[in-house]
Amino acid sequence: MIAVQALRKSFGEVLAVRGVSFDAADGRITGLLGPNGAGKSTTLRMLYTVLRPDAGDAFVDGVSVVTAPLEVRRSIGVLSHSAGVYPHLTARENILYFGELHGLDRSVRERRADELIELLEMQDFATRRAKGYSQGQRLKTALARALVHEPRNVLLDEPTNGLDVMAVRNLRGLLRKLRERGHCIVFSSHVMQEVAALCDEIVVIARGEVVASGTLEALRARTGQEGLEDAFVSLIGSDAGLE
Amino acid sequence: MSQQLGRWRGIFTVFKKEFFENLRDRRTLLSALLIGPVFGPLLFAGLTQFSVKQSDAASDKPVAVAISHPERAPNLVDWLGARGIEMTPIALDDRAARDAVFKREHKIIVAIPADFGARLAGTQPAPILVYSDGSRAFEARAVARVKSLVMQYGQQVAQLRLLARGVDPLVGVPLAVQDIDVSTPTTRSVLLLSMLSYIVLLSMLVGGLYLAIDATAGERERGSLEPLLTTPVPRANLIYGKILASAAYMLLSLILTVTAFAIAVRFIGLERFGMSANLGPTAAAAMIACCAPIALLGAAFLTIIAAFAKSYREAQSYLSFVIAVPTLPLVFAGMLGLVATTALMFVPFLSQHLLITSILRAEPIATVQLLASVLSTLGFGVVLAWIAGRLYNREGLLG
């Protein structure tokens, strides 16, 4: 469960996030939708404690990202925008390394690695070095690595970028599976279809602010637009940076 | 989780991963385990052989000299010819002679002026001009030899004149200077071996260089830094682990390089020209022990710079010249002829250089000096690593 309260962040002169608030409940998929440069990534990076907010706070299972970032990191799994893997390690070793960094005992992390390799169907490349992996294989590795410690909350920044259709379908399936198990899932995207197909709750962000939030139906009702695209465009005010 | 909750949690995990991952990286492996340990001694052996050949050649080979107007001093020419000077007769005036040496047409020109014979006959000092290019160090020996032979000829003439006047020639020799060289074969080889400490320290740094770049700038460029920062390990501990892994490669490189030198020195055959190096197993072990504290300092130093370069390439270009900075004290030591004092032991790299020199000369090392060197270098290393940890907490790190 994640509660975001009036987060602000600027980089030098640029005010990237100006007071973003929303809630993401357990057992639901919450999508941050907005054009490129709207402040989605910056918001997520504050949630996963890589950036420190200038003002405001966010609570992950009731723990503050500002005052207890190390504790927050124990209960989140993160797929960051540039989910790089270690090229000289195999997928399995990549997963095990993160398990160890999370403080899991050897037997636990080995069991988790095997489970995730099966869950994400990584068997045919899991023991090969990551150098030369396809985009989809790299993403699976990064995802498995993010889930090794069974985090209650999963944060994903543009997870479908650069994936082919099959990989996107697999990812959706996995996120739904995690939702069924009661995880809190937050992911960002600039692809409207993506968000509409997957999310229970949509937070529309533009120019560093939340311009609307709610279920897809609620957003349609609010804008009076039946078409998905028209609804979002009317909320954001332009269609620049959306797909 | 309990065993990892300590203050140092994660450091060993990061160290282990960086160490083993880089064993699979050909670039890191080459720089750590091949370039220093193999090319260092090879370069050294090559330079040694070259300088041995140079000094051998200088004394044995006949010296080639162009002699301008030999007909003006036939006796001198005969004298020089009988003593291994190969003469090419030419006829140049002063200007042409300068020009010829400057343009490398002749290396040395001995010119006999027109009034040479008349002045010699009149017991006036007779001029002889020796043209050479002083900026060519390799020819200095040949020039000195020619000048000394000409001087000897002059002395012989003087003695004959004294005899002709009924004076004992010894009157003209008031002093008898004897040159007594007390250097031992070991100390004589030190000049050559001072290069060794330079190569050892440099190859040590190169050994940890690629890991330092890969673990920081490389990590960011691959996009694996951000996921790493979302794990519950304090950021400072992440960089400590990386610094230790780089230091471990430096130690490996150090051990291999010194071992390779110890073996190479046997094959170079320093004894052949009256030198020996104190580089047996004990001396090699002492050298490794003296240099080991550098590993932490060097790794922290390189890591700090690499961590804040914007890209792998940028880190590489910074480090390729930064890596020479620690060797500056060695250059000063050479220029100023510094010897080991306790105060100098507080200067990292310089103290190791001086200790290595002492070991090679088989001189005793004061315990105070050894402790000062080891502890101060370690201290600097700890401080730099701590600074790296502080810096790693900054957001700017993400680039």
Side-chain angles (χ1 to χ4, degrees), chain B residues 7-339:
Chain B
R7 187 173 169 194
W8 308 113
R9 116 182 75 108
I11 295 182
F12 182 66
T13 304
V14 174
F15 166 80
K16 205 170 52 175
K17 176 259 170 190
E18 296 293 352
F19 187 88
F20 287 107
E21 191 193 5
N22 275 279
L23 276 182
R24 297 179 185 171
D25 186 346
R26 206 183 304 131
R27 192 164 33 186
T28 317
L29 219 52
L30 280 180
S31 65
L33 312 179
L34 200 67
I35 291 179
V38 173
F39 290 106
L42 273 184
L43 178 75
F44 179 72
L47 282 174
T48 310
Q49 294 291 6
F50 181 70
S51 65
V52 169
K53 286 231 174 71
Q54 280 290 320
S55 58
D56 283 353
S59 55
D60 297 347
K61 248 210 283 186
V63 177
V65 166
I67 187 149
S68 183
H69 298 291
E71 73 284 354
R72 292 171 182 167
N75 290 336
L76 172 63
V77 171
D78 288 349
W79 160 273
L80 292 176
R83 280 157 187 81
I85 305 293
E86 281 177 358
M87 282 161 292
T88 317
I90 51 171
L92 297 174
D93 62 7
D94 176 62
R95 196 155 174 192
R98 283 169 188 272
D99 217 39
V101 171
F102 186 74
K103 287 182 180 157
R104 315 289 307 142
E105 285 161 15
H106 300 290
K107 289 178 182 171
I108 305 169
I109 295 179
V110 176
I112 319 288
D115 57 351
F116 178 83
R119 289 182 72 98
L120 197 67
T123 64
Q124 296 279 315
I128 293 201
L129 308 174
V130 180
Y131 298 90
S132 66
D133 185 344
S135 62
R136 310 257 169 186
F138 283 147
E139 286 152 23
R141 264 168 189 271
V143 174
R145 194 154 151 235
V146 170
K147 280 184 189 163
S148 131
L149 285 174
V150 172
M151 293 296 286
Q152 279 177 36
Y153 176 75
Q155 271 168 12
Q156 211 180 39
V157 171
Q159 286 173 3
L160 286 172
R161 282 176 182 168
L162 290 171
L163 270 179
R165 285 161 180 76
V167 180
D168 185 345
L170 288 181
V171 169
V173 191
L175 299 178
V177 179
Q178 288 186 42
D179 193 5
I180 299 161
D181 187 356
V182 298
S183 68
T184 64
T186 303
T187 60
R188 266 200 297 280
S189 58
V190 161
L191 202 68
L192 218 56
L193 293 172
S194 67
M195 248 179 359
L196 188 146
S197 71
Y198 182 83
I199 296 177
V200 166
L201 290 172
L202 199 64
S203 83
M204 210 180 147
L205 292 179
V206 171
L209 176 72
Y210 277 101
L211 197 150
I213 300 178
D214 190 73
T216 52
E219 170 117 70
R220 187 168 52 211
E221 203 158 286
R222 278 194 304 268
S224 56
L225 176 62
E226 205 157 303
L228 184 67
L229 295 179
T230 65
T231 62
V233 174
R235 283 190 181 187
N237 289 6
L238 297 174
I239 197 82
Y240 294 155
K242 290 166 189 287
I243 290 173
L244 288 180
S246 172
Y249 273 81
M250 288 190 185
L251 284 179
L252 258 177
S253 181
L254 167 69
I255 292 167
L256 288 174
T257 306
V258 172
T259 309
F261 264 117
I263 294 167
V265 159
R266 267 163 229 287
F267 288 104
I268 292 169
L270 292 169
E271 294 76 11
R272 206 153 35 81
F273 48 109
M275 293 189 194
S276 76
N278 175 35
L279 195 47
T282 321
M287 273 174 65
I288 291 171
C290 285
C291 292
I294 284 283
L296 181 62
L297 177 64
F301 178 64
L302 298 186
T303 303
I304 286 180
I305 290 161
F308 291 92
K310 288 195 185 64
S311 65
Y312 195 101
R313 225 165 243 285
E314 195 182 302
Q316 225 171 351
S317 57
Y318 284 165
L319 288 187
S320 54
F321 81 88
V322 162
I323 205 166
V325 171
T327 56
L328 285 180
L330 276 65
V331 178
F332 286 118
M335 286 193 316
L336 304 173
L338 295 178
V339 292

Side-chain angles (χ1 to χ4, degrees), chain A residues 9 45 48 50-52 70 73-74 78 80 82-90 93 97-98 100-103 105 129 145, chain B residues 1 3-5 9-10 13-14 16-17 21 24-25 219 222-224 226-235 238 395 398:
Chain A
K9 182 74 185 176
R45 287 167 104 187
Y48 59 74
V50 164
L51 294 180
R52 221 183 133 82
L70 279 184
R73 286 182 214 161
R74 292 181 193 287
V78 179
S80 64
S82 52
V85 297
Y86 298 107
H88 299 293
L89 299 184
T90 67
E93 287 167 334
Y97 177 44
F98 271 62
E100 197 175 340
L101 289 171
H102 274 284
D105 288 333
R129 290 189 194 169
R145 185 175 70 181
Chain B
M1 279 200 200
Q3 92 275 14
Q4 298 246 354
L5 279 172
R9 116 182 75 108
T13 304
V14 174
K16 205 170 52 175
K17 176 259 170 190
E21 191 193 5
R24 297 179 185 171
D25 186 346
E219 170 117 70
R222 278 194 304 268
S224 56
E226 205 157 303
L228 184 67
L229 295 179
T230 65
T231 62
V233 174
R235 283 190 181 187
L238 297 174
E395 277 177 5
L398 289 169

Side-chain angles (χ1 to χ4, degrees), chain B residues 369-388:
Chain B
Q369 295 193 354
L370 185 65
L371 278 178
S373 166
V374 169
L375 293 181
S376 67
T377 303
L378 277 178
F380 281 122
V382 169
V383 169
L384 270 191
W386 179 80
I387 291 173

Side-chain angles (χ1 to χ4, degrees), chain A residues 95-229:
Chain A
I95 301 167
L96 289 174
Y97 177 44
F98 271 62
E100 197 175 340
L101 289 171
H102 274 284
L104 305 181
D105 288 333
R106 178 184 286 275
S107 60
V108 177
R109 55 181 190 259
E110 301 219 335
R111 177 177 54 76
R112 280 295 293 163
D114 292 335
E115 281 171 14
L116 288 162
I117 287 167
E118 205 183 303
L119 179 72
L120 295 169
E121 292 164 7
M122 300 165 64
Q123 293 90 339
D124 51 336
F125 64 88
T127 51
R128 212 175 72 213
R129 290 189 194 169
K131 202 173 187 170
Y133 275 10
S134 71
Q135 185 76 14
Q137 291 170 331
R138 265 206 300 278
L139 182 93
K140 282 182 174 182
T141 308
L143 200 57
R145 185 175 70 181
L147 299 175
V148 66
H149 55 299
E150 299 186 82
R152 291 291 305 156
N153 308 278
V154 182
L155 306 169
L156 309 97
D157 192 2
E158 305 263 1
T160 55
N161 255 8
L163 290 187
D164 59 34
V165 181
M166 274 310 291
V168 171
R169 278 175 63 94
N170 286 339
L171 181 68
R172 282 184 196 163
L174 177 77
L175 293 183
R176 290 198 182 103
K177 230 181 260 182
L178 290 172
R179 172 175 62 185
E180 280 161 31
R181 293 184 190 174
H183 291 268
C184 166
I185 298 156
V186 177
F187 87 89
S188 74
S189 179
H190 64 280
V191 185
M192 288 177 284
Q193 308 301 335
E194 190 63 58
V195 173
L198 203 55
C199 294
D200 306 306
E201 201 79 30
I202 300 172
V203 179
V204 183
I205 296 182
R207 294 170 301 276
E209 288 171 307
V210 176
V211 293
S213 63
T215 61
L216 185 59
E217 271 54 52
L219 292 177
R220 276 194 177 130
R222 184 178 146 180
T223 55
Q225 303 278 357
E226 196 43 41
L228 186 66
E229 200 172 320

